[in-house]
Every structure is written in C-alpha cells, then in structure tokens.
Amino acid sequence: MSSNAAAIKKRFSKELLCSMALFAFSAGAAWLCVLDIVLKQPVAVDFKSFYAAAVAASRGLDVYDVKVLEAIATEMRLPRGPTYPYLYPPFFAHAFSWLARLRPSAAQQVWSTIAVCSYGLAATFAVAAIRRATPPALGAVRRPAIPTLLIAFIAFLAWTLNLRNCVGMGQINPLVLLFICAALALSISRKDAAAGLALAVAAGIKVTPVLLAIPWVIERRFRALTGLAAGLVALVLLSLPFGAAPAWIEFLRRLPRMSHGAKIPGLFDPGTTPNFSVAGFYARLFGEHATAIKVASWITLLLLLGGVLALGGRSPSPSRSLRMLLPLLVTMIVASPFTYVHHVLFLFPAALYALDRAAKQERSVEMGALVVLLPLATVDFPYIYSRFKGPLPQLALSMNLYVLLAIYALGMLMLWQERREEATAREALAAAGDGEATEAPAAPRP
C-alpha cells in the first residue's frame, strides 16, 4: 500500500515539475516575442478602452456609454486618438476594476504580464489535452515525455499566430485563450463540470466561445452544460456586489444593436477592411442592407457549424474532439460581428495538435499547408490593400477570411481522415475476428 502511494506521489511530482517547466518555457517564449513591446509601448489602443471601462465600473458609471469613456480618457490623460466603445459583458469591466487603482502605464504593464502568463498557461493546458487524447504506444508502460518538437511548436505559434499583435493592441484574447484551453483539457479528461465552468469564464468575458459548447449538446454531456450554465450564473452573481446590475441590464438592452451588420456608435463601419468576419465580408458586398447582412451571415455560420458537427459525429473519440477544434475555432472566430488579426490567436490549441499529429504521422503535405496558412491568416492584408493606388474589387478585400476558410477546409479534411481511419480499423478488427472464427478447430464428437 505504501509503495503504491509512493509511486503515485512520485508520478504526481514528476508531472507537476513537467507542467511547471512547460509553463516556464511557454511564458519565456512569449516574453521573448513581446518584450520590446512591453518595455516601450504607451497605453495600447484597445487597453485604453478596457482601462476607461474599469474606471467607469469603479465609479458606478455606464461602461457602455462611449462618451463616458472618452471623458475618462481625457481626465486620465490617456494617449490621444480614438476611445473605442466597450463591447464585452460587464463581468470583465467590474472584475478588473482594480486596474483603475493603478496608473495607466503601470496598469498596461500588469495587463501585458497577464497576457504573457495566460499564453504560458494556455500552452500548458493544451499540451495536457494533446497528451491525454493521444494513447501511449503499444507496449509502453508509461506515457512518454513531452516531445521536443511539440515544445518547439509552442514557441513557433507565439510568432506565427501573432501574439505580438495581441499584446501590442492591449487585447484580452490571451486571457480568453487560457480558459478555452483549460476547458479543452478538462473536457478530454472527462471532468465535465469543471470544463463547463472554465468555458463559462471564457464566454463571460467574450461571448463567442459559447459556440464550443455545441458539441456537448450533440454528445449529451449534460454535466458540462450544467457547469457552463452554473458558471455563467455565478459570474453574474459575483459581479452584482460590485454594482454591475445596471450594466447587465444595459448590456442586454444593447445586445441586439451589437449584432452582425450593426453600426455601433464610436466604432468604425462594419464593412471596413480590417474587419474580416463573415459579417464584415457581407457588409462590403451589401453596403447598407443590414437585414441582408444579418441573414447571409447567419446562414453561412450555420453551414460552417453544421458541417463540423455532421462530420464530427455524436460520440467522437478524444483525438477526433481535438481535430474538430480546428474548423470549430475558425467558425468561432469569424462568427463575431467584428474580427481582426489578433483573433487568429484562438487557433492555438487546434494548430498545436494538428502540427503535432502531422509530425508524428509524417504527413509532410499537411504540415506544410499548416505552416503556410497559419502565418498567412495573421498578415495585415488591409495595410497591403492601402498600398494600391486604385480601388480594389470588393471580393479582393477579404483575404484573411479566405485564408481562415482554407484552414477550415483543412480541418474538415483532417476530421474526415480520422473517421476513415477509425472505420478502417473497425473493419480490420471485424475481419480478424471472422478469420479466427473460421480457423477455430471443430468441436470433437462425443
């Protein structure tokens, strides 16, 4: 008994040390990626809005009134330029209202540090999910150590998925990514209630991650859905003592006016070229026809989501769950009414798994496609458009979206390959069973 306890303790300690080392490496790679930005940048344009919203929340003001945010930005002497409206649920503004106690420059540095640590933790959770979804080699006593190539991919994706843009803009995406990866690791470990709670935090900060719960509905994983619902309710209740009740009412009131094709006061037109969401694509095609934009956007998103769920099946294996994630995350990214280059970071866990799988199975074409498409998705094509002297056709102004749809198609191909391999394995087992039955010696006669 004592020997078993000692073995469990030793294994736990080894796994903990391995996770700590992985976090240190991932966070270190992130620091190297963004160190010059953290040290030199003033208050970033997106963090300016977050900071103003935190100040407004701490004072009991309307965080969704862009004029309130502009007045706070002037009062706090934040950098000149536009103060964009706060578009997220009120939980985030009130949960981070403590940032208002810090000077803007100090708050910016703390925020950048949170982003770097979030990337490190997200990588740690993503690797845990990949290892749990990949069974050990036949005859292996223990799961092998984390492959060096998988660790290298973490550093590669920090640059490829443009973590610099996220930190440079002062964006919230690394923090949301952390809870998405935590939900993924917990879900694959069948800790459904905890997975739902983790996804609730991601959805409570940024609404679109709730789409990742749709496979749970198909798979009838009611504990995960209960955890998600309980987590969302808890976020609302936890924010109420901080005076968030009016903000929640205002958020729900404004929500229909922040949907696809809607023009939001204080924000640029949805058809502007930096917005490469599905709604942005249709806004450039249909112009002022908001109803047409909304209908076309919803039809497209339902088709994308339906394709993933149809090919994924009702009871996917852990590896297929991770493979579903690539097209599913693309759908989540383009589903937002406004999608920009820094949102591509959300592909991280799916890209990490896809690269690891391609390397292990020596699929050079698949890996080459990933290595080419992932950086292309984060290219600032709108800047390239502006270098042309003449106007470009509307269909040429959505290159980022087209690349993301190509990644979606690649993810669907990988998912189809997974199902085909499973079917082949089942047929081989059935054939082997029939062969054994045929070759079995006849029973002796009495």
Side-chain angles (χ1 to χ4, degrees), residues 75 189 202:
E75 175 194 339
S189 298

Side-chain angles (χ1 to χ4, degrees), residues 64-67 69-70 83-87 254 257-258 262-270 338:
Y64 296 104
D65 189 339
V66 69
K67 293 182 179 179
L69 303 186
E70 289 173 349
T83 302
Y84 294 122
Y86 177 78
L87 304 177
R254 290 176 180 248
R257 290 181 287 168
M258 294 190 289
K263 292 185 177 180
I264 300 173
L267 198 63
F268 33 76
D269 190 275
F338 291 88

Side-chain angles (χ1 to χ4, degrees), residues 23 64 86 109 136 142 171 193 203 211 233 235 248 250 258 263 270 277 286 308 357 359 376 403 405 440:
F23 167 75
Y64 296 104
Y86 177 78
Q109 292 177 341
R142 289 185 298 180
Q171 254 296 328
L211 288 178
V233 171
L235 294 182
W248 280 108
E250 185 64 19
M258 294 190 289
K263 292 185 177 180
S277 69
F286 299 145
V308 179
R357 171 184 177 273
L376 272 178
V403 176
L405 292 178

Side-chain angles (χ1 to χ4, degrees), residues 271-284:
T272 187
T273 51
N275 177 22
F276 55 84
S277 69
V278 168
F281 170 77
Y282 286 121
R284 287 187 286 277

Side-chain angles (χ1 to χ4, degrees), residues 6 29 63 81 104 114 152 159 219 271 280 286 302 304 347 356 417 426 428:
V63 298
I114 291 174
W159 292 90
E219 299 164 27
F286 299 145
L302 288 174
L304 292 174
L347 290 179
D356 179 65
Q417 288 175 343
R426 284 195 299 268

